[in-house]
């Protein structure tokens, strides 16, 4: 984005709640937003909301263990994939509660930087706006993905019900086929029980969607914000030893600001890691396991002459969930390396200023440690994603060999 494009976009507002309104609304709706006070009122709300979420989850687990695993392994895998989604949603909620102060600190830091950006030169403000828009775009994309995913099951249900009606049959189709305990199984197609079970399963679908809309865009948005701050420092570093900065005092002040802001960025990235490290470690490990199982089951349904929408949705969902943080984690590493190069190439060797050179040495030493989000064992980047796909492919080949 150029300076002119920022000037022409006078109506654009650097406001976190407005830029990420879909995520903020979702987190407020499911009561997981870090700004919500965790008092007795919240406990009651959580028990009611999560209690309803637990009911269909228990039904899926019961149907899988007691029935499906004995009669239809492919269906059992589909059910267990939903249980993995339930586990991920539960983990997301737990992390939002456990790291409430850290995530709230990240949000407040972004808000503060947006306020500061209003006082910056147009060129620097343009960077903040650019990365803010990118973060907002991610939130919108995940809103669309979550809406489409949550509508797959009811759409399939309504379509099949209409199809049977056109064919002269009156048959209600469940939102998701499950085998319930005998007392419920006998009456599940009666009007009232059918509507209750349908509503509970859709609540499972909807609640999961709100967690994905609310949580998934947060870390990438924070990473993008850190990228913008690093690029701003790079821009300032490029100008530090130029002709426009002639005063030693001015150069010293600018260097001190760069050092302080760099430290703030490192602190900001460390907080992102604290809040999301466990989630991303489990996401990558889960992807390596789930992708081959889902792919194998999808191929099996094709061989039977049918198409499983559940597996298709879960397949692309697993890919996107692992790709998104790795892509933006890789971008963060790239921006950090770009800043480090800018420090070295800033032209310090042409200016004899002992204090400036000492500060440059401190910055170079500080940036020797890459600015990156680490999982338990490695940096979150596209190389890590490639390893995950290699592992998934190896597991897939093992399943094919075992099946044949």
């Amino acid at each position: 984005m150029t300076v002119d494009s920022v000037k022409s976009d006078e109506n654009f507002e650097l406001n976190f709640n407005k830029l990420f309104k879909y995520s903020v609304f979702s987190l407020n709706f499911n009561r997981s937003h870090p700004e919500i006070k965790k008092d007795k009122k919240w406990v009651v709300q959580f028990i009611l909301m999560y209690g309803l979420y637990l009911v269909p989850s228990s039904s899926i687990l019961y149907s899988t263990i007691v029935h499906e695993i004995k009669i239809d392994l492919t269906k059992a895998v589909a059910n267990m994939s939903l249980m993995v989604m339930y586990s991920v949603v539960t983990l997301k909620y737990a992390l939002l509660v456990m790291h409430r102060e850290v995530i709230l600190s990240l949000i407040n830091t972004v808000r503060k930087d947006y306020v500061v950006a209003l006082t910056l030169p147009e060129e620097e403000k343009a960077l903040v706006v650019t990365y803010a828009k990118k973060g907002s775009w991610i939130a919108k994309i995940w809103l669309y993905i979550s809406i489409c995913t949550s509508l797959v099951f009811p759409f399939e249900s309504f379509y099949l019900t209409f199809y049977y009606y056109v064919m002269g049959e009156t048959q209600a189709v469940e939102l998701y086929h499950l085998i319930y305990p005998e007392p419920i199984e006998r009456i599940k197609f009666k009007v009232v029980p059918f509507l209750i079970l349908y509503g509970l399963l859709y609540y499972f679908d909807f609640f999961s969607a709100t967690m994905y809309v609310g949580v998934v865009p947060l870390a990438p948005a924070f990473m993008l914000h850190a990228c913008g701050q690093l690029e701003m420092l790079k821009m300032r570093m490029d100008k530090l030893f130029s002709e426009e900065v002639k005063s030693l005092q001015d150069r010293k002040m600018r260097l001190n600001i760069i050092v302080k802001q760099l430290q703030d960025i490192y602190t900001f990235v460390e907080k992102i890691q604290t809040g999301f490290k466990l989630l991303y470690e489990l996401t990558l490990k889960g992807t390596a396991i789930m992708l081959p199982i889902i792919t194998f089951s999808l191929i099996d349904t094709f061989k039977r002459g049918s198409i499983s929408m559940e597996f298709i949705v879960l397949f692309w969902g697993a890919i996107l969930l692992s790709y998104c943080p790795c892509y933006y984690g890789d971008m963060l590493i790239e921006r950090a390396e770009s800043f480090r190069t800018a420090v070295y190439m800033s032209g310090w060797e042409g200016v004899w200023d002992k204090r400036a050179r000492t500060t440059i040495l401190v910055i170079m030493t500080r940036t020797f440690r890459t600015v990156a989000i680490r999982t338990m064992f490695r940096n979150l980047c596209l190389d890590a994603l490639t390893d995950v796909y290699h592992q998934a492919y190896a597991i897939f080949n093992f399943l094919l060999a075992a099946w044949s």
Side-chain angles (χ1 to χ4, degrees):
M1 177 177 286
T2 64
V3 175
D4 292 337
S5 64
V6 176
K7 288 180 178 179
S8 63
D9 193 7
E10 295 179 354
N11 294 325
F12 184 81
E13 185 177 358
L14 281 172
N15 184 298
F16 183 89
N17 283 359
K18 290 185 178 180
L19 287 171
F20 302 96
K21 58 185 177 182
Y22 305 114
S23 296
V24 172
F25 173 81
S26 297
L27 294 176
N28 280 321
F29 176 83
N30 57 41
R31 314 311 293 161
S32 62
H33 197 288
E35 288 184 329
I36 296 177
K37 188 177 180 180
K38 302 304 185 284
D39 52 12
K40 291 181 180 179
K41 180 182 178 181
W42 175 84
V43 171
V44 173
Q45 292 171 338
F46 171 77
I47 291 174
L48 292 175
M49 296 187 72
Y50 197 80
L52 282 176
Y53 187 64
L54 186 60
V55 173
S57 307
S58 303
S59 301
I60 295 171
L61 187 62
Y62 170 84
S63 180
T64 304
I65 295 177
V66 179
H67 299 286
E68 305 290 2
I69 201 169
K70 300 175 183 178
I71 59 178
D72 190 347
L73 187 59
T74 302
K75 178 65 175 176
V77 171
N79 290 353
M80 290 311 298
S81 299
L82 292 179
M83 289 308 301
V84 170
M85 183 173 70
Y86 163 78
S87 302
V88 170
V89 168
T90 302
L91 175 63
K92 290 178 188 294
Y93 209 111
L95 288 176
L96 285 173
V97 175
M98 290 169 54
H99 299 298
R100 171 176 170 265
E101 293 183 1
V102 172
I103 296 174
L104 184 58
S105 174
L106 289 168
I107 293 174
N108 288 333
T109 299
V110 175
R111 287 172 174 164
K112 182 192 71 174
D113 289 343
Y114 284 170
V115 172
V116 172
L118 300 177
T119 65
L120 296 176
E122 291 294 337
E123 194 175 7
E124 294 183 356
K125 180 183 176 183
L127 285 175
V128 179
V129 170
T130 298
Y131 285 96
K133 284 188 173 182
K134 288 181 179 179
S136 179
W137 179 81
I138 295 173
K140 290 178 182 177
I141 289 298
W142 273 105
L143 173 69
Y144 300 147
I145 291 173
S146 299
I147 289 176
C148 292
T149 302
S150 63
L151 291 179
V152 165
F153 295 108
F155 175 79
E156 186 177 14
S157 171
F158 289 137
Y159 171 78
L160 290 175
T161 301
F162 179 74
Y163 172 79
Y164 289 132
Y165 175 78
V166 171
M167 298 300 293
E169 300 179 29
T170 303
Q171 181 176 342
V173 179
E174 300 169 88
L175 181 69
Y176 187 78
H177 175 69
L178 294 174
I179 302 175
Y180 298 94
E182 184 59 28
I184 299 176
E185 187 69 20
R186 286 200 307 265
I187 62 171
K188 71 176 183 179
F189 285 110
K190 292 184 179 180
V191 177
V192 175
F194 179 83
L195 292 177
I196 292 175
L197 294 174
Y198 198 99
L200 285 172
L201 284 172
Y202 188 74
Y203 178 78
F204 173 88
D205 194 13
F206 179 76
F207 188 86
S208 299
T210 63
M211 288 302 299
Y212 280 93
V213 172
V215 179
V216 173
L218 283 182
F222 295 146
M223 292 182 212
L224 280 168
H225 183 72
C227 288
Q229 297 296 304
L230 283 168
E231 197 159 339
M232 185 191 302
L233 291 190
K234 177 180 177 295
M235 184 183 296
R236 293 177 177 179
M237 205 70 222
D238 290 337
K239 297 177 180 178
L240 186 63
F241 295 100
S242 64
E243 293 183 358
E244 65 180 77
V245 184
K246 298 180 179 179
S247 167
L248 293 178
Q249 190 64 27
D250 187 18
R251 184 178 295 125
K252 178 183 177 183
M253 181 187 69
R254 295 190 182 204
L255 263 175
N256 289 338
I257 292 174
I258 290 173
V259 170
K260 182 181 183 305
Q261 289 184 326
L262 182 63
Q263 183 58 44
D264 290 342
I265 292 172
Y266 270 90
T267 302
F268 185 77
V269 172
E270 286 173 2
K271 288 181 180 179
I272 299 175
Q273 180 171 310
T274 299
F276 297 93
K277 177 174 65 175
L278 178 59
L279 175 62
Y280 284 144
E281 178 65 31
L282 294 179
T283 296
L284 294 181
K285 290 292 186 289
T287 299
I289 296 172
M290 292 305 300
L291 267 184
I293 295 175
I294 294 171
T295 305
F296 181 80
S297 301
L298 192 58
I299 293 174
D300 186 53
T301 58
F302 285 156
K303 288 180 179 179
R304 297 183 186 184
S306 61
I307 298 177
S308 175
M309 291 302 298
E310 304 99 297
F311 287 134
I312 294 175
V313 169
L314 291 169
F315 177 83
W316 287 110
I319 288 182
L320 288 172
L321 279 173
S322 56
Y323 173 78
C324 186
C326 289
Y327 175 80
Y328 291 107
D330 200 81
M331 181 185 292
L332 180 61
I333 295 173
E334 181 185 330
R335 295 295 184 273
E337 290 300 321
S338 178
F339 170 72
R340 188 164 190 252
T341 302
V343 174
Y344 183 75
M345 301 294 292
S346 60
W348 56 268
E349 70 280 1
V351 178
W352 178 251
D353 184 348
K354 185 176 180 181
R355 289 186 178 180
R357 290 190 173 197
T358 302
T359 306
I360 291 293
L361 179 60
V362 170
I363 294 175
M364 290 292 294
T365 304
R366 186 71 177 91
T367 55
F368 184 77
R369 182 168 65 89
T370 304
V371 179
I373 307 298
R374 285 191 61 84
T375 60
M376 295 291 189
F377 303 104
R378 62 173 304 166
N379 291 338
L380 192 68
C381 59
L382 292 178
D383 286 342
L385 184 64
T386 302
D387 289 344
V388 168
Y389 289 160
H390 284 162
Q391 294 167 15
Y393 183 69
I395 296 173
F396 176 71
N397 284 332
F398 174 78
L399 290 175
L400 284 180
W403 186 261
S404 59

